[in-house]
Amino acid sequence: MFKKLLCVFLLCPFWGMAQNYTLKQLATGKNTSMRGLSVVSDSIAWVSGSNGYVGKTLNGGKTWEWVQPKGYEKLDFRDIEAFDKLKAIVVNAGSPAYVLSTIDGGKTWREVYKNTDSAIFLDGMGFWDAQQGIIFGDPIKNKMQLLKTVDGGLTWQDISAQLKKDLKAGEAGFAASGTTIRTAPDGKVWIATGGSTSNIYYSPNYGHRWKVYQCPIIQGENSTGPFSIAFFNNRKGIVVGGNYLKDKENTNNVLLTKNGGKSWFKPEKPVLGYRSAVEYVNEQLCFATGSSGTDVSTDGGKTWTNISTQNFNALQKAKKGSLVLLTGNRGQIYQLIYR
């Protein structure tokens, strides 16, 4: 009896590790580096990237339709927000800055915002619901650029003045995966900045008022800081990043919060290297990915285990469903299968 109990005791630590993780290639070879990703359901997903490419699947990634919005073929679409198989909004990085919208599945696109300021650089986008959304960008004259829509993306208003605090010299956002901004359905929004200093900008009421929390992740250089944030609820969250020029280093590049970003603490075991995207699958299961690999956590981010060293930019779970997709360079789209 004692031997049986000892055997069970010794096997217990491996039960939690018995889950298998597989990366399944869905697409590759397209001349685009993709950082925009919006997984609507287990069937519908949209991607966006450089050279003006936008891709869409209606069957869980088995086949993809590709378009290049006419007149915008040279843009780098760093973020995309999709609502169903017909409607999506894309944002490019750099100047001029554009926001394009489609309501017919990508057949035609409407320019709904344009900014020709030489300093404009939009970093990411989030939506609270089908009508209300927000975009943030790097500072112009020390003011973070903030755009808001209340009509489903048809028009965008500049609300930058509502954030009273100026950004410090060298402080900006990273357009690495469109996830340095996160929204919650009740009007909450978090924005992470890096570079010379790192902060979390938080609004509880659709961007009307803001609070600023220090984020003690690696910072101080223009290549360092947070590159992605994720929140399971209004209190529990994860931030990942690092130094993208030293992507195999993992010095202070993942932190956790239990109070909505007010304070942060280090996990017991960090991710393997620089990470540009992090996502909750459920309260315990989390994934993080970047140019030096992908990691999994089965305890809510406390400890991380590397499952791949393949290069990816973005990772996202379906808004309604369990499908998890990753995107990268050369048109690479993969499904992360977890059992």
Side-chain angles (χ1 to χ4, degrees):
M1 182 65 179
F2 175 75
K3 289 183 178 179
K4 290 182 179 179
L5 288 174
L6 179 61
C7 182
V8 170
F9 177 76
L10 290 173
L11 286 173
C12 279
F14 298 93
W15 288 350
M17 300 173 63
Q19 196 164 23
N20 293 319
Y21 307 99
T22 304
L23 290 173
K24 178 183 177 181
Q25 182 176 294
L26 302 177
T28 190
K30 188 68 65 174
N31 184 25
T32 181
S33 173
M34 291 176 292
R35 297 182 181 274
L37 174 60
S38 186
V39 188
V40 179
S41 66
D42 287 343
S43 300
I44 302 169
W46 295 64
V47 297
S48 65
S50 59
N51 296 320
Y53 276 105
V54 176
K56 179 184 69 173
T57 181
L58 301 180
N59 54 16
K62 294 177 183 178
T63 59
W64 293 84
E65 303 172 18
W66 295 94
V67 297
Q68 289 173 291
K70 189 175 181 180
Y72 306 93
E73 295 88 351
K74 295 182 179 180
L75 298 186
D76 188 353
F77 292 124
R78 294 288 183 93
D79 200 7
I80 186 168
E81 184 78 21
F83 300 88
D84 50 41
K85 66 179 182 180
L86 296 176
K87 182 179 178 180
I89 297 170
V90 290
V91 177
N92 77 299
S95 176
Y98 296 94
V99 181
L100 307 181
S101 174
T102 182
I103 57 173
D104 58 8
K107 295 177 183 178
T108 61
W109 293 83
R110 176 181 177 182
E111 183 182 298
V112 293
Y113 175 82
K114 180 180 181 180
N115 190 323
T116 58
D117 191 309
S118 61
I120 192 72
F121 193 105
L122 300 180
D123 294 297
M125 167 176 52
F127 271 75
W128 293 287
D129 52 46
Q131 296 300 310
Q132 301 182 91
I134 186 170
I135 296 172
F136 92 102
D138 286 352
I140 297 177
K141 297 180 179 178
N142 301 322
K143 282 289 185 183
M144 180 187 292
Q145 298 303 291
L146 293 168
L147 305 173
K148 182 178 177 181
T149 183
V150 294
D151 56 12
L154 293 176
T155 60
W156 293 85
Q157 292 76 43
D158 189 331
I159 62 165
S160 305
Q162 294 183 6
L163 176 55
K164 307 300 182 184
K165 183 178 175 63
D166 287 356
L167 274 66
K168 294 184 178 179
E171 178 186 0
F174 290 109
S177 64
T179 55
T180 43
I181 181 172
R182 293 283 190 167
T183 52
D186 54 0
K188 293 179 172 60
V189 56
W190 295 265
I191 296 172
T193 60
S196 62
T197 188
S198 176
N199 287 302
I200 303 295
Y201 294 81
Y202 167 72
S203 172
N205 51 12
Y206 300 95
H208 291 292
R209 296 188 305 275
W210 295 85
K211 296 180 180 179
V212 185
Y213 308 130
Q214 291 183 345
C215 181
I217 199 170
I218 183 173
Q219 56 196 274
E221 301 177 48
N222 59 14
S223 57
T224 60
F227 285 73
S228 179
I229 53 176
F231 283 86
F232 176 73
N233 53 34
N234 290 337
R235 300 186 64 80
K236 187 173 184 179
I238 304 172
V239 59
V240 299
N243 185 340
Y244 71 83
L245 296 179
K246 301 175 181 178
D247 66 353
K248 291 182 172 59
E249 293 186 3
N250 65 346
T251 303
N252 187 28
N253 69 325
V254 54
L255 297 172
L256 310 175
T257 182
K258 291 181 178 179
N259 56 14
K262 293 179 183 178
S263 61
W264 299 83
F265 60 96
K266 292 183 179 181
E268 297 172 14
K269 181 184 176 184
V271 294
L272 190 63
Y274 157 79
R275 297 294 177 256
S276 55
V278 63
E279 185 84 333
Y280 283 94
V281 172
N282 55 47
E283 188 170 6
Q284 298 301 317
L285 182 60
C286 315
F287 294 105
T289 197
S291 58
S292 61
T294 301
D295 304 288
V296 62
S297 174
T298 58
D299 54 14
K302 295 178 184 177
T303 60
W304 296 84
T305 301
N306 183 254
I307 58 174
S308 171
T309 57
Q310 191 168 345
N311 183 330
F312 291 106
N313 297 322
L315 177 154
Q316 194 177 109
K317 173 188 171 293
K319 300 172 186 177
K320 296 179 181 179
S322 58
L323 179 66
V324 174
L325 296 182
L326 303 97
T327 59
N329 302 323
R330 300 182 302 279
Q332 293 186 95
I333 307 173
Y334 277 69
Q335 178 183 359
L336 200 166
I337 301 170
Y338 51 98
R339 297 187 180 91

